[in-house]
Coordinates of all heavy atoms in Angstrom, one line a residue:
V1 N 3.5 -12.0 -82.8 CA 3.0 -10.6 -82.7 C 3.6 -9.7 -83.6 O 4.8 -9.8 -83.7 CB 3.2 -10.0 -81.2 CG1 2.9 -8.6 -81.1 CG2 2.6 -11.0 -80.2
P2 N 2.9 -8.9 -84.5 CA 3.6 -8.0 -85.3 C 3.9 -6.7 -84.6 O 3.2 -6.2 -83.7 CB 2.5 -7.6 -86.4 CG 1.2 -7.8 -85.7 CD 1.5 -9.0 -84.6
V3 N 5.2 -6.2 -84.8 CA 5.6 -5.0 -84.1 C 6.1 -3.9 -85.2 O 6.8 -4.3 -86.0 CB 6.8 -5.4 -83.2 CG1 7.4 -4.1 -82.4 CG2 6.6 -6.3 -82.2
G4 N 5.6 -2.7 -85.0 CA 5.8 -1.7 -86.1 C 7.0 -0.9 -85.6 O 7.3 -0.6 -84.5
F5 N 7.6 -0.2 -86.7 CA 8.5 0.9 -86.5 C 8.4 1.9 -87.6 O 8.1 1.6 -88.7 CB 10.0 0.4 -86.6 CG 10.4 -0.7 -85.4 CD1 10.5 -2.0 -85.7 CD2 10.7 -0.2 -84.3 CE1 10.8 -2.8 -84.6 CE2 11.1 -1.0 -83.1 CZ 11.1 -2.4 -83.3
G6 N 8.6 3.1 -87.1 CA 8.6 4.4 -88.1 C 7.1 4.5 -88.7 O 6.2 4.2 -88.0
G7 N 7.1 5.3 -89.8 CA 5.9 5.5 -90.4 C 5.3 6.7 -89.9 O 6.0 7.8 -89.5
Q8 N 4.0 6.9 -90.0 CA 3.2 8.0 -89.8 C 1.9 7.7 -88.8 O 1.5 6.6 -88.8 CB 2.8 8.8 -91.0 CG 1.9 7.9 -91.7 CD 1.4 8.7 -93.0 OE1 1.3 10.0 -93.0 NE2 1.3 7.9 -94.2
V9 N 1.6 8.7 -88.1 CA 0.3 8.7 -87.2 C -0.8 9.4 -87.8 O -0.6 10.7 -88.2 CB 0.6 9.1 -85.8 CG1 -0.5 9.1 -84.9 CG2 1.7 8.2 -85.2
L10 N -1.9 8.8 -88.1 CA -3.1 9.5 -88.6 C -4.1 9.8 -87.6 O -4.3 9.1 -86.7 CB -3.7 8.7 -89.7 CG -2.8 8.2 -90.8 CD1 -3.6 7.3 -91.8 CD2 -2.2 9.3 -91.5
H11 N -4.8 11.0 -87.7 CA -5.8 11.4 -86.8 C -7.1 11.3 -87.6 O -7.4 12.1 -88.5 CB -5.6 12.8 -86.3 CG -4.4 12.9 -85.3 ND1 -3.2 12.9 -85.8 CD2 -4.3 12.9 -83.9 CE1 -2.3 13.0 -84.8 NE2 -3.0 12.9 -83.6
V12 N -7.9 10.3 -87.3 CA -9.2 10.1 -88.1 C -10.4 10.5 -87.3 O -10.4 10.1 -86.0 CB -9.3 8.6 -88.5 CG1 -10.5 8.3 -89.2 CG2 -8.0 8.2 -89.2
P13 N -11.3 11.2 -87.8 CA -12.5 11.6 -87.1 C -13.3 10.4 -86.6 O -13.4 9.4 -87.2 CB -13.3 12.4 -88.1 CG -12.4 12.8 -89.2 CD -11.3 11.8 -89.2
D14 N -13.8 10.5 -85.3 CA -14.5 9.4 -84.6 C -15.9 9.9 -84.5 O -16.1 10.8 -83.6 CB -13.8 9.1 -83.5 CG -14.4 7.9 -82.6 OD1 -15.7 7.5 -83.1 OD2 -13.9 7.4 -81.8
E15 N -16.8 9.4 -85.2 CA -18.3 9.8 -85.2 C -18.9 9.4 -83.8 O -19.8 10.1 -83.3 CB -19.0 9.3 -86.4 CG -18.6 9.6 -87.7 CD -19.4 9.0 -88.8 OE1 -20.3 8.1 -88.4 OE2 -19.2 9.2 -90.0
R16 N -18.4 8.3 -83.3 CA -19.0 7.8 -82.0 C -18.8 8.8 -80.8 O -19.7 9.1 -80.0 CB -18.3 6.5 -81.7 CG -19.0 5.8 -80.4 CD -18.3 4.5 -80.0 NE -16.9 4.5 -79.8 CZ -16.4 4.8 -78.6 NH1 -17.2 5.0 -77.7 NH2 -15.0 4.7 -78.5
T17 N -17.6 9.4 -80.7 CA -17.1 10.3 -79.7 C -17.3 11.8 -80.0 O -17.2 12.7 -79.2 CB -15.8 10.0 -79.1 OG1 -14.8 10.3 -80.1 CG2 -15.9 8.4 -78.6
G18 N -17.1 12.0 -81.3 CA -17.1 13.5 -81.9 C -15.7 13.9 -81.8 O -15.4 15.1 -82.3
G19 N -14.7 13.1 -81.4 CA -13.3 13.5 -81.4 C -12.6 12.9 -82.5 O -13.1 12.9 -83.6
F20 N -11.6 12.3 -82.3 CA -10.7 11.5 -83.5 C -10.1 10.3 -82.9 O -9.8 10.2 -81.6 CB -9.6 12.6 -84.0 CG -8.7 13.0 -83.0 CD1 -7.5 12.2 -82.7 CD2 -8.8 14.1 -82.3 CE1 -6.5 12.6 -81.7 CE2 -7.9 14.7 -81.3 CZ -6.8 13.8 -81.1
Q21 N -9.7 9.5 -83.7 CA -9.0 8.3 -83.4 C -7.6 8.3 -84.0 O -7.5 8.7 -85.1 CB -9.8 6.9 -83.9 CG -9.2 5.7 -83.6 CD -9.9 4.4 -84.2 OE1 -10.8 4.6 -84.8 NE2 -9.4 3.3 -84.0
V22 N -6.7 7.9 -83.1 CA -5.3 7.9 -83.6 C -5.0 6.4 -84.2 O -5.2 5.4 -83.6 CB -4.3 8.1 -82.5 CG1 -2.8 8.1 -83.0 CG2 -4.6 9.6 -82.0
I23 N -4.4 6.5 -85.5 CA -4.1 5.2 -86.1 C -2.6 5.3 -86.6 O -2.3 6.3 -87.2 CB -4.9 5.0 -87.3 CG1 -6.5 4.9 -86.9 CG2 -4.6 3.7 -88.1 CD1 -7.3 4.6 -88.0
W24 N -1.8 4.3 -86.1 CA -0.3 4.3 -86.5 C -0.2 3.4 -87.8 O -0.6 2.3 -87.8 CB 0.4 3.8 -85.3 CG 1.8 3.6 -85.5 CD1 2.6 4.1 -86.4 CD2 2.8 2.8 -84.7 NE1 3.9 3.9 -86.4 CE2 4.1 3.1 -85.2 CE3 2.7 2.0 -83.7 CZ2 5.2 2.4 -84.8 CZ3 3.8 1.3 -83.1 CH2 5.0 1.7 -83.7
K25 N 0.4 4.0 -88.7 CA 0.7 3.3 -90.0 C 2.2 3.1 -90.0 O 2.9 3.9 -90.4 CB 0.2 4.1 -91.2 CG -1.2 4.2 -91.3 CD -2.0 2.9 -91.6 CE -3.4 3.1 -91.9 NZ -4.2 1.9 -92.2
P26 N 2.8 2.0 -89.5 CA 4.3 1.7 -89.5 C 4.9 1.7 -90.9 O 4.2 1.2 -91.8 CB 4.4 0.4 -88.7 CG 3.0 0.2 -88.0 CD 2.0 0.9 -88.9
A27 N 6.1 2.1 -91.0 CA 6.8 1.9 -92.2 C 7.3 0.6 -92.4 O 7.5 0.1 -93.6 CB 8.0 2.9 -92.2
S28 N 7.6 -0.1 -91.3 CA 8.1 -1.6 -91.3 C 7.6 -2.3 -90.3 O 7.2 -1.8 -89.2 CB 9.6 -1.4 -91.4 OG 10.1 -1.0 -90.2
K29 N 7.6 -3.6 -90.3 CA 7.1 -4.6 -89.3 C 8.0 -5.6 -89.0 O 8.8 -6.2 -90.0 CB 5.8 -5.1 -89.5 CG 4.7 -4.0 -89.5 CD 3.2 -4.7 -89.7 CE 2.1 -3.7 -89.6 NZ 0.7 -4.4 -89.8
V30 N 8.1 -6.1 -87.8 CA 8.9 -7.2 -87.5 C 8.0 -8.2 -86.7 O 7.0 -7.7 -86.0 CB 10.1 -6.9 -86.4 CG1 10.8 -8.0 -85.9 CG2 11.1 -5.9 -87.2
I31 N 8.2 -9.4 -86.9 CA 7.3 -10.5 -86.2 C 8.0 -10.9 -84.9 O 9.2 -11.4 -85.1 CB 7.0 -11.7 -87.2 CG1 6.3 -11.1 -88.4 CG2 6.0 -12.6 -86.5 CD1 5.0 -10.3 -88.2
G32 N 7.3 -10.9 -83.9 CA 7.8 -11.5 -82.7 C 7.5 -13.0 -82.5 O 6.1 -13.1 -82.4
V33 N 8.2 -13.9 -82.4 CA 7.8 -15.3 -82.3 C 8.2 -15.7 -80.8 O 9.3 -15.6 -80.4 CB 8.6 -16.2 -83.2 CG1 8.2 -17.7 -83.1 CG2 8.4 -15.7 -84.6
P34 N 7.3 -16.2 -80.0 CA 7.5 -16.6 -78.6 C 8.0 -17.9 -78.5 O 7.6 -18.8 -79.2 CB 6.1 -16.4 -77.9 CG 5.2 -16.6 -79.0 CD 5.8 -16.2 -80.3
Y35 N 9.0 -18.1 -77.6 CA 9.5 -19.4 -77.1 C 9.4 -19.5 -75.6 O 9.8 -18.7 -74.9 CB 11.0 -19.5 -77.5 CG 11.4 -19.6 -78.9 CD1 11.2 -18.5 -79.7 CD2 11.6 -20.9 -79.5 CE1 11.5 -18.6 -81.2 CE2 11.9 -21.1 -80.9 CZ 11.8 -19.9 -81.7 OH 12.0 -20.1 -83.2
D36 N 8.7 -20.6 -75.3 CA 8.4 -20.7 -73.8 C 9.2 -21.7 -73.2 O 9.5 -22.8 -73.7 CB 6.8 -21.3 -73.6 CG 5.9 -20.1 -74.1 OD1 6.3 -18.9 -74.1 OD2 4.7 -20.4 -74.0
T37 N 9.7 -21.4 -71.9 CA 10.5 -22.3 -71.2 C 9.9 -22.5 -69.8 O 9.5 -21.6 -69.2 CB 12.0 -21.7 -70.8 OG1 12.6 -21.3 -72.2 CG2 12.8 -22.6 -70.0

């Protein structure tokens, strides 16, 4: 699973609803690797 930190949040117009969609653009990412027990 990619996990983001930092960066900025964009508000993009949403034609479907007439409102806006929030998109997070992280400055950095960390990968989560699962181990099952």
Side-chain angles (χ1 to χ4, degrees):
V1 178
V3 179
F5 292 102
Q8 59 181 326
V9 174
L10 305 179
H11 294 75
V12 180
D14 186 346
E15 296 180 358
R16 181 175 65 87
T17 64
F20 60 87
Q21 181 182 1
V22 175
I23 300 176
W24 180 17
K25 297 288 187 181
S28 62
K29 287 185 179 179
V30 173
I31 303 300
V33 182
Y35 288 77
D36 288 354
T37 299

